[in-house]
Protein backbone atom coordinates (compact mmCIF):
# COMPACT_ATOMS: atom_id res chain seq x y z
CA UNK A 1 0.00 0.00 0.00
CA UNK A 2 1.30 3.47 -0.83
CA UNK A 3 2.08 5.40 2.37
CA UNK A 4 2.60 8.89 1.01
CA UNK A 5 1.07 11.02 -1.73
CA UNK A 6 2.10 14.44 -3.02
CA UNK A 7 -0.01 17.22 -4.50
CA UNK A 8 0.53 20.72 -5.81
CA UNK A 9 -1.79 23.65 -6.42
CA UNK A 10 -1.72 27.08 -8.01
CA UNK A 11 -4.23 29.92 -7.75
CA UNK A 12 -4.34 33.45 -9.16
CA UNK A 13 -6.76 36.32 -8.61
CA UNK A 14 -6.77 39.80 -10.10
CA UNK A 15 -6.80 42.76 -7.76
CA UNK A 16 -9.94 44.89 -7.79
CA UNK A 17 -11.89 47.27 -5.65
CA UNK A 18 -11.64 46.77 -1.93
CA UNK A 19 -9.65 47.41 1.19
CA UNK A 20 -8.32 43.98 2.16
CA UNK A 21 -7.28 40.57 0.90
CA UNK A 22 -7.94 37.24 2.57
CA UNK A 23 -4.83 35.05 2.72
CA UNK A 24 -4.72 31.79 4.62
CA UNK A 25 -7.96 32.71 6.34
CA UNK A 26 -6.45 35.97 7.63
CA UNK A 27 -7.86 39.40 6.71
CA UNK A 28 -4.98 41.61 5.58
CA UNK A 29 -5.65 45.33 5.07
CA UNK A 30 -4.61 46.46 1.59
CA UNK A 31 -5.23 49.27 -0.88
CA UNK A 32 -7.17 46.83 -3.09
CA UNK A 33 -9.27 43.68 -2.83
CA UNK A 34 -9.41 40.72 -5.22
CA UNK A 35 -11.89 39.85 -7.94
CA UNK A 36 -13.37 36.45 -7.10
CA UNK A 37 -16.61 34.55 -6.67
CA UNK A 38 -15.67 33.54 -3.11
CA UNK A 39 -13.48 35.52 -0.72
CA UNK A 40 -10.63 34.97 -3.22
CA UNK A 41 -8.17 33.48 -0.75
CA UNK A 42 -5.40 32.29 -3.10
CA UNK A 43 -3.52 30.57 -0.27
CA UNK A 44 -6.44 28.35 0.74
CA UNK A 45 -7.46 27.74 -2.88
CA UNK A 46 -3.95 26.60 -3.82
CA UNK A 47 -3.80 24.41 -0.73
CA UNK A 48 -7.19 22.84 -1.51
CA UNK A 49 -6.01 22.06 -5.04
CA UNK A 50 -2.81 20.48 -3.66
CA UNK A 51 -4.83 18.30 -1.28
CA UNK A 52 -7.31 17.30 -3.99
CA UNK A 53 -4.49 16.71 -6.46
CA UNK A 54 -2.69 14.35 -4.11
CA UNK A 55 -5.64 11.96 -4.33
CA UNK A 56 -6.56 12.78 -7.95
CA UNK A 57 -9.91 14.19 -6.81
CA UNK A 58 -10.08 16.96 -9.38
CA UNK A 59 -9.82 20.64 -8.54
CA UNK A 60 -11.56 23.21 -6.40
CA UNK A 61 -13.79 24.36 -9.25
CA UNK A 62 -15.14 20.83 -9.67
CA UNK A 63 -16.14 20.65 -6.01
CA UNK A 64 -17.26 24.29 -5.73
CA UNK A 65 -18.37 25.53 -9.17
CA UNK A 66 -17.98 29.31 -9.57
CA UNK A 67 -21.47 29.27 -11.11
CA UNK A 68 -22.99 28.09 -7.80
CA UNK A 69 -24.48 31.00 -5.81
CA UNK A 70 -23.79 29.11 -2.57
CA UNK A 71 -20.11 30.02 -2.91
CA UNK A 72 -20.65 33.74 -3.55
CA UNK A 73 -18.40 35.58 -1.08
CA UNK A 74 -17.80 32.25 0.68
CA UNK A 75 -15.23 31.94 3.45
CA UNK A 76 -12.58 29.73 1.83
CA UNK A 77 -12.09 27.85 5.10
CA UNK A 78 -15.32 26.06 4.08
CA UNK A 79 -13.50 24.69 1.01
CA UNK A 80 -10.51 23.64 3.12
CA UNK A 81 -12.76 21.81 5.59
CA UNK A 82 -14.42 19.95 2.74
CA UNK A 83 -11.06 18.88 1.29
CA UNK A 84 -9.91 17.84 4.74
CA UNK A 85 -13.05 15.68 5.09
CA UNK A 86 -12.46 14.04 1.70
CA UNK A 87 -8.92 13.11 2.77
CA UNK A 88 -10.03 11.89 6.16
CA UNK A 89 -12.79 9.69 4.70
CA UNK A 90 -10.13 8.00 2.58
CA UNK A 91 -7.71 7.47 5.47
CA UNK A 92 -5.27 10.30 4.75
CA UNK A 93 -4.10 13.44 6.50
CA UNK A 94 -1.77 16.26 5.52
CA UNK A 95 1.75 15.48 6.75
CA UNK A 96 3.05 18.91 5.86
CA UNK A 97 2.39 21.70 3.39
CA UNK A 98 4.51 24.49 1.96
CA UNK A 99 2.88 27.53 0.37
CA UNK A 100 4.41 30.48 -1.47
CA UNK A 101 2.50 33.73 -2.04
CA UNK A 102 3.62 35.84 -5.01
CA UNK A 103 2.81 39.56 -4.98
CA UNK A 104 4.52 42.93 -4.71
CA UNK A 105 2.09 43.94 -1.96
CA UNK A 106 0.76 43.44 0.61
CA UNK A 107 3.68 42.26 2.69
CA UNK A 108 2.88 38.71 3.74
CA UNK A 109 5.67 38.12 6.24
CA UNK A 110 4.03 39.97 9.15
CA UNK A 111 0.91 37.79 8.73
CA UNK A 112 2.55 34.44 8.03
CA UNK A 113 2.33 33.13 11.59
CA UNK A 114 -1.37 33.93 11.83
CA UNK A 115 -1.97 32.16 8.51
CA UNK A 116 -0.02 29.11 9.65
CA UNK A 117 -2.04 29.00 12.86
CA UNK A 118 -5.34 29.05 10.96
CA UNK A 119 -4.28 26.31 8.55
CA UNK A 120 -2.71 24.11 11.24
CA UNK A 121 -5.88 24.38 13.34
CA UNK A 122 -8.16 23.60 10.39
CA UNK A 123 -6.09 20.57 9.38
CA UNK A 124 -5.42 19.43 12.96
CA UNK A 125 -1.67 19.33 12.40
CA UNK A 126 1.35 20.88 14.09
CA UNK A 127 2.31 24.48 13.40
CA UNK A 128 5.71 23.38 12.10
CA UNK A 129 3.95 21.24 9.48
CA UNK A 130 2.60 24.40 7.81
CA UNK A 131 4.96 26.72 5.95
CA UNK A 132 4.02 30.09 4.46
CA UNK A 133 6.55 31.94 2.36
CA UNK A 134 6.32 34.98 0.09
CA UNK A 135 8.17 36.54 -2.77
CA UNK A 136 7.76 39.43 -5.13
CA UNK A 137 8.35 38.75 -8.82
CA UNK A 138 10.83 41.62 -8.98
CA UNK A 139 8.24 43.85 -10.71
CA UNK A 140 8.00 41.40 -13.62
CA UNK A 141 4.79 40.00 -15.06
CA UNK A 142 1.23 40.49 -13.79
CA UNK A 143 2.19 40.13 -10.15
CA UNK A 144 5.11 42.48 -10.68
CA UNK A 145 2.81 45.11 -12.18
CA UNK A 146 0.54 44.78 -9.16
CA UNK A 147 -2.34 43.45 -11.25
CA UNK A 148 -2.92 40.35 -9.18
CA UNK A 149 -1.77 37.90 -6.57
CA UNK A 150 -0.80 34.24 -6.86
CA UNK A 151 -0.06 31.34 -4.54
CA UNK A 152 1.55 27.96 -5.04
CA UNK A 153 1.11 25.05 -2.62
CA UNK A 154 2.70 21.65 -2.19
CA UNK A 155 1.44 19.11 0.31
CA UNK A 156 2.46 15.66 1.40
CA UNK A 157 -0.27 13.27 2.52
CA UNK A 158 0.41 10.47 4.98
CA UNK A 159 -1.80 7.69 6.25
CA UNK A 160 -4.05 8.92 9.08
N1 LIG B 1 4.49 40.14 -0.73
C1 LIG B 1 5.66 39.85 -0.14
C2 LIG B 1 6.83 39.70 -0.85
C3 LIG B 1 7.99 39.45 -0.19
N2 LIG B 1 8.00 39.33 1.16
C4 LIG B 1 9.24 39.10 1.89
O1 LIG B 1 10.30 39.86 1.34
C5 LIG B 1 11.40 39.02 1.00
C6 LIG B 1 12.10 39.52 -0.21
O2 LIG B 1 11.28 39.39 -1.35
P1 LIG B 1 11.98 39.37 -2.80
O3 LIG B 1 10.88 39.09 -3.78
O4 LIG B 1 12.58 40.70 -2.96
O5 LIG B 1 12.99 38.27 -2.78
C7 LIG B 1 10.79 37.64 0.84
O6 LIG B 1 11.73 36.63 1.06
C8 LIG B 1 9.73 37.67 1.90
O7 LIG B 1 10.29 37.37 3.15
C9 LIG B 1 6.81 39.45 1.84
O8 LIG B 1 6.77 39.33 3.08
N3 LIG B 1 5.67 39.73 1.19
C1 LIG C 1 -13.40 29.18 -5.26
C2 LIG C 1 -14.36 29.28 -6.38
C3 LIG C 1 -15.74 29.07 -5.74
O1 LIG C 1 -16.78 29.08 -6.60
O2 LIG C 1 -14.39 30.55 -7.03
P1 LIG C 1 -13.34 31.77 -6.91
O3 LIG C 1 -13.50 32.42 -5.59
O4 LIG C 1 -13.51 32.70 -8.06
O5 LIG C 1 -11.88 31.15 -6.89
P2 LIG C 1 -11.07 30.24 -7.95
O6 LIG C 1 -9.70 30.16 -7.41
O7 LIG C 1 -11.21 30.77 -9.31
O8 LIG C 1 -11.69 28.75 -7.78
C4 LIG C 1 -12.93 28.40 -8.39
C5 LIG C 1 -14.13 28.21 -7.48
O9 LIG C 1 -14.09 26.92 -6.91
Amino acid sequence: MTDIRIGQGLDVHAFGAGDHVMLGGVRIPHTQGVQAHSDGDVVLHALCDAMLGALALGDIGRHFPPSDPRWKDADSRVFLRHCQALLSERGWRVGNCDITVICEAPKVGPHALAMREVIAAELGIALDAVSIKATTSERLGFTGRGEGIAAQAVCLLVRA
Side-chain angles (χ1 to χ4, degrees):
M1 191 196 308
T2 309
D3 288 324
I4 56 172
R5 302 292 289 265
I6 191 167
Q8 65 87 32
L10 168 67
D11 193 39
V12 173
H13 281 283
F15 283 125
D19 62 2
H20 71 278
V21 295
M22 294 301 298
L23 290 176
V26 174
R27 181 187 173 102
I28 299 177
H30 188 45
T31 52
Q32 299 178 94
V34 295
Q35 298 175 33
H37 184 59
S38 68
D39 66 4
D41 189 325
V42 291
V43 166
L44 296 188
H45 295 182
L47 177 57
C48 285
D49 265 358
M51 293 165 67
L52 294 170
L55 295 182
L57 292 173
D59 57 35
I60 189 170
R62 183 178 123 193
H63 293 266
F64 305 100
S67 53
D68 189 333
R70 281 181 299 170
W71 315 127
K72 179 87 182 85
D73 299 324
D75 179 338
S76 292
R77 290 176 300 178
V78 169
F79 308 147
L80 184 62
R81 287 172 196 149
H82 178 82
C83 294
Q84 166 74 356
L86 291 175
L87 264 56
S88 188
E89 286 163 12
R90 290 162 176 77
W92 295 92
R93 65 179 174 82
V94 173
N96 74 295
C97 60
D98 186 16
I99 302 162
T100 301
V101 183
I102 306 160
C103 60
E104 300 297 318
K107 278 288 179 199
V108 171
H111 306 281
L113 176 58
M115 293 160 60
R116 292 173 60 212
E117 287 173 341
V118 168
I119 293 168
E122 290 292 345
L123 298 181
I125 61 178
L127 188 61
D128 69 2
V130 179
S131 164
I132 299 283
K133 313 193 303 301
T135 186
T136 69
S137 53
E138 301 291 346
R139 298 180 182 271
L140 298 170
F142 71 89
T143 50
R145 291 188 294 272
E147 294 170 1
I149 184 166
Q152 296 177 329
V154 175
C155 73
L156 187 75
L157 303 191
V158 297
R159 288 286 177 188

